[in-house]
Amino acid sequence: MMKWWKQSTFYEIYMPSFKDGNGDGIGDFAGITSKLDYLKELGIDGLWLTPFYPSPKVDNGYDISDYYGIDPDYGTMADFETFIQEAHQRGIRVIADLVLNHTSSEHQWFQESKSSKAHPKRDWYIWRDEPNNWESFFGGSAWEFDSETNQYYYHAFAKEQVDLNWANPEVKHAMFDVMKFWLEKGVDGFRLDVINFLKVNDSFQDNPYDEEQIHLYDKDQEGVLTVIEEIAEFVHQYPDKFLVGEVGSEELDILKQYSGLKKLDVVFNFNIGSMATFDTEKLYQQLVGTEQAYDSTQIPTLFFSSHDMSRHISRFGGDEDRAKLVAALMLTAKGVPFIYFGDEIGMRDWITDDISKIKDVQGIMGYQLALHAGKSQEEALVVANEKSRDKSRTAMQWNSHANVGFSEGVPWITVPEDAYKVTVEDQIHDSESMLSFYKNLLKLRKEHSSLQFGEYEYLRNVDGMIYFVRTNGFEKILVILNFTDQQKTLEIDADINLLLSSRRTKLDRGAFVTILANEAMILKGDIGNDLVKER
Ligand code: GLC
């Protein structure tokens, strides 16, 4: 039987920013539950929730201090259970973000580990007498000196996120217990955070430099795939559970090693999703490259925004037509799509002129390191804005009230005054809105098996237009994405119907089809292998 996730579209919810249910200004489970009907109507099938466990939130929940609880900001275990039940009742699956690589420095395990060199949990983390040159991914050294025991501990991210020692089998078993707990609570799988970091090279050799540090020995190390196979085997004992891995790499050669038979079900294809500026040819090359590199047990993922990156609408120039083209690609090309909350209404990035408003540890570190390197406050603020991931973490814009859905002066994140005010309220009844376009795309995807799992009959990039045919059985769908500002003409020698366009409702055609500038078109018909000719 076809696995459910192969036919699913996921939606990422950044916990504090989606919907506040109790008026404290922080998103929570009660809030998300109250929006399940919205999500159902949007047409998504699965939710990925960023970490919701108790955490000091140095890195907003990616620093877990208790793997068995719910952070009080997000509600209670009962709220979580109600949410899962209500989601399942609507046919929406839920995957939990799980951080296996590191714990918060406040976690009991680390407190014990740091209490003495002789403690049985000392070896649960990575302790060394001397640091090497490894840098943290947030900047600065990856080693922190502990004056009580006179050793350094390793942290690939903030010093409050301490790397576990996965070479120690006790760590693995402790984490299997954690996974068991949440699987039994009813989650449908996990998004595994920085999963290619689980092993570091035990030679602890210095990393080389090429202008900046090359992370040669601190990720993608020998043995990591074995651990991943063990995790996959463990989780897949439970029927129908899904694993998506965050493999922090844009290299297809690396990414492809982590998914497929006996491994993770899918990984995030940063090679496709994380282009800094829009480049049709580069995008096309990555789609083709992925298609060629993956074997028949591997499926790509399609995403262009997340809580770690700029929203694609802003990154690619702020243009709505372009954002609709990207959405059309995400929801019709081959792969499992992950929509980032708010992209469906075209929410923009947020940039600030006030450093004290930045909450993200990466932004704050960037600022401090820039000042330290002799930059002025103004220059350091530019660096902070570049590095800060708060840009895509502002609150979901449900309506146009002063703080768009969140109360004033709250501890976490209000929509800034100068936010680009697109709202669900304004778009929900507008058939030409971004939201309606997403809904239409999701509906089409549901109605056409070839859009869910059809193979490419062909995939081309001609003159700034990416187009492809996907087919399943007799069904053939032609998707044409004109990423240029010019109108184009195609000769299509087949009987076709327009299913959806981002720019019009009707197609007038003879032998030639006109593609408007920046138009996404989805057509259905008896389209043969070479029936599309460029004009
Ligand atoms: C992942 C998360 C990111 C976090 C990092 C460290 O990349 O997506 O938000 O900062 O891991 O846990």
Side-chain angles (χ1 to χ4, degrees):
M1 217 184 73
M2 180 67 67
K3 298 232 190 291
W4 63 270
W5 53 265
K6 293 190 180 168
Q7 290 165 269
S8 294
T9 299
F10 289 86
Y11 184 92
E12 179 190 355
I13 289 187
Y14 190 67
M15 282 301 295
S17 305
F18 187 64
K19 177 66 188 167
D20 177 19
N22 66 356
D24 68 355
I26 308 171
D28 50 32
F29 279 113
I32 303 174
T33 306
S34 74
K35 290 296 178 188
L36 283 169
D37 287 333
Y38 166 82
L39 294 165
K40 180 75 193 164
E41 217 172 289
L42 176 60
I44 55 98
D45 311 282
L47 292 173
W48 151 28
L49 305 180
T50 57
F52 46 74
Y53 323 92
S55 161
K57 304 204 193 66
V58 171
D59 185 16
N60 247 296
Y62 287 92
D63 46 330
I64 302 172
S65 52
D66 171 8
Y67 285 81
Y68 292 95
I70 301 291
D71 191 281
D73 278 350
Y74 304 138
T76 61
M77 191 57 92
D79 293 338
F80 172 82
E81 286 163 358
T82 307
F83 156 73
I84 287 272
Q85 214 181 356
E86 295 276 329
H88 285 169
Q89 258 169 29
R90 289 166 178 79
I92 296 176
R93 293 191 158 89
V94 178
I95 60 167
D97 209 322
L98 193 58
V99 188
L100 300 176
N101 181 67
H102 46 265
T103 70
S104 160
S105 51
E106 288 182 23
H107 195 289
Q108 177 72 23
W109 299 340
F110 185 64
Q111 291 301 316
E112 290 177 30
S113 180
K114 92 193 258 272
S115 66
S116 120
K117 277 185 176 167
H119 194 281
K121 285 208 176 66
R122 184 67 172 180
D123 188 47
W124 279 40
Y125 294 85
I126 300 166
W127 292 96
R128 306 273 296 166
D129 289 333
E130 292 298 330
N132 59 17
N133 78 344
W134 294 358
E135 286 174 5
S136 141
F137 286 80
F138 290 158
S141 171
W143 296 93
E144 182 72 11
F145 185 63
D146 171 54
S147 56
E148 271 167 57
T149 53
N150 276 323
Q151 277 193 316
Y152 293 80
Y153 67 82
Y154 176 63
H155 58 92
F157 297 91
K159 66 179 190 314
E160 296 85 355
Q161 296 168 290
V162 194
D163 275 53
L164 284 158
N165 177 17
W166 274 79
N168 183 334
E170 286 171 19
V171 167
K172 185 171 75 190
H173 291 124
M175 284 305 191
F176 280 11
D177 288 345
V178 168
M179 290 191 259
K180 181 168 184 278
F181 176 82
W182 290 103
L183 290 168
E184 288 174 359
K185 279 258 171 245
V187 304
D188 298 289
F190 300 109
R191 178 259 188 194
L192 298 175
D193 190 60
V194 290
I195 199 65
N196 56 327
F197 285 56
L198 289 198
K199 289 269 171 130
V200 295
N201 196 292
D202 56 15
S203 70
F204 289 97
Q205 287 175 73
D206 277 353
N207 277 328
Y209 278 87
D210 182 5
E211 283 179 30
E212 46 185 46
Q213 183 160 106
I214 301 169
H215 289 275
L216 193 60
Y217 297 115
D218 48 4
K219 56 177 190 146
D220 304 307
Q221 295 304 297
E222 213 184 303
V224 69
L225 289 172
T226 314
V227 182
I228 283 175
E229 285 178 17
E230 288 172 337
I231 294 173
E233 192 185 357
F234 180 81
V235 170
H236 288 140
Q237 291 173 72
Y238 297 78
D240 262 358
K241 302 294 178 187
F242 170 62
L243 286 176
V244 49
E246 184 202 22
V247 176
S249 173
E250 290 176 26
E251 303 298 320
L252 196 45
D253 286 347
I254 304 249
L255 292 171
K256 75 170 187 203
Q257 296 177 39
Y258 286 88
S259 67
L261 210 61
K262 297 194 168 173
K263 298 187 194 163
L264 303 173
D265 294 312
V266 294
V267 298
F268 287 127
N269 283 88
F270 288 98
N271 64 314
I272 301 172
S274 65
M275 281 187 304
T277 51
F278 193 81
D279 181 337
T280 315
E281 177 60 16
K282 194 171 161 205
L283 175 58
Y284 171 73
Q285 287 304 339
Q286 291 306 325
L287 292 172
V288 172
T290 309
E291 186 59 14
Q292 286 166 351
Y294 276 17
D295 68 30
S296 62
T297 68
Q298 295 176 297
I299 302 179
T301 54
L302 293 163
F303 72 96
F304 289 88
S305 305
S306 80
H307 69 289
D308 286 331
M309 55 165 89
S310 160
R311 289 184 179 275
H312 69 75
I313 191 167
S314 296
R315 211 162 81 235
F316 299 157
D319 183 71
E320 289 205 4
D321 284 337
R322 167 67 50 83
K324 284 184 177 169
L325 279 158
V326 171
L329 179 86
M330 250 179 79
L331 294 168
T332 60
K334 198 167 146 186
V336 179
F338 283 78
I339 299 169
Y340 184 52
F341 88 93
D343 271 9
E344 77 274 25
I345 53 170
M347 273 173 61
R348 280 12 183 220
D349 281 356
W350 167 69
I351 303 292
T352 183
D353 55 8
D354 178 356
I355 185 65
S356 71
K357 291 203 172 128
I358 292 186
K359 302 223 173 7
D360 178 29
V361 57
Q362 186 166 281
I364 296 167
M365 283 287 286
Y367 185 76
Q368 287 165 351
L369 290 170
L371 286 184
H372 198 71
K375 295 209 189 283
S376 69
Q377 287 188 353
E378 218 171 300
E379 290 164 334
L381 184 65
V382 174
V383 176
N385 271 312
E386 265 165 27
K387 301 250 176 205
S388 166
R389 299 165 297 177
D390 288 346
K391 54 168 81 69
S392 63
R393 295 176 176 181
T394 52
M396 178 70 174
Q397 296 173 194
W398 293 108
N399 55 49
S400 52
H401 306 207
N403 263 307
V404 217
F406 276 55
S407 47
E408 195 103 35
V410 293
W412 163 233
I413 212 155
T414 47
V415 173
E417 287 298 299
D418 54 353
Y420 191 94
K421 294 276 190 322
V422 287
T423 65
V424 172
E425 187 182 53
D426 289 345
Q427 294 192 13
I428 203 143
H429 300 298
D430 172 1
S431 63
E432 282 171 27
S433 66
M434 185 72 75
L435 182 56
S436 296
F437 188 60
Y438 267 85
K439 277 191 194 169
N440 289 334
L441 282 169
L442 282 157
K443 187 158 175 281
L444 269 192
R445 199 183 153 86
K446 279 222 166 70
E447 288 167 356
H448 296 91
S449 61
S450 48
L451 291 180
Q452 295 161 26
F453 39 79
E455 292 299 327
Y456 287 122
E457 200 158 286
Y458 51 82
L459 169 57
R460 292 192 189 136
N461 172 25
V462 178
D463 202 14
M465 255 193 311
I466 294 182
Y467 62 84
F468 48 84
V469 169
R470 292 189 69 199
T471 134
N472 188 44
F474 292 116
E475 187 181 272
K476 282 176 200 272
I477 305 281
L478 168 64
V479 178
I480 306 175
L481 306 167
N482 182 2
F483 286 105
T484 76
D485 293 330
Q486 286 106 46
Q487 181 166 309
K488 308 261 175 176
T489 307
L490 283 178
E491 185 180 344
I492 303 179
D493 190 7
D495 197 12
I496 48 162
N497 297 317
L498 179 68
L499 293 177
L500 184 64
S501 156
S502 60
R503 299 211 41 207
R504 57 181 149 173
T505 51
K506 268 217 271 345
L507 178 70
D508 302 313
R509 68 161 299 211
F512 299 102
V513 172
T514 303
I515 323 293
L516 304 176
N518 293 301
E519 181 179 22
M521 259 183 153
I522 303 166
L523 304 143
K524 184 177 180 177
D526 186 18
I527 306 144
N529 199 6
D530 228 5
L531 293 182
V532 179
K533 294 193 192 80
E534 300 85 32
R535 285 270 136 185

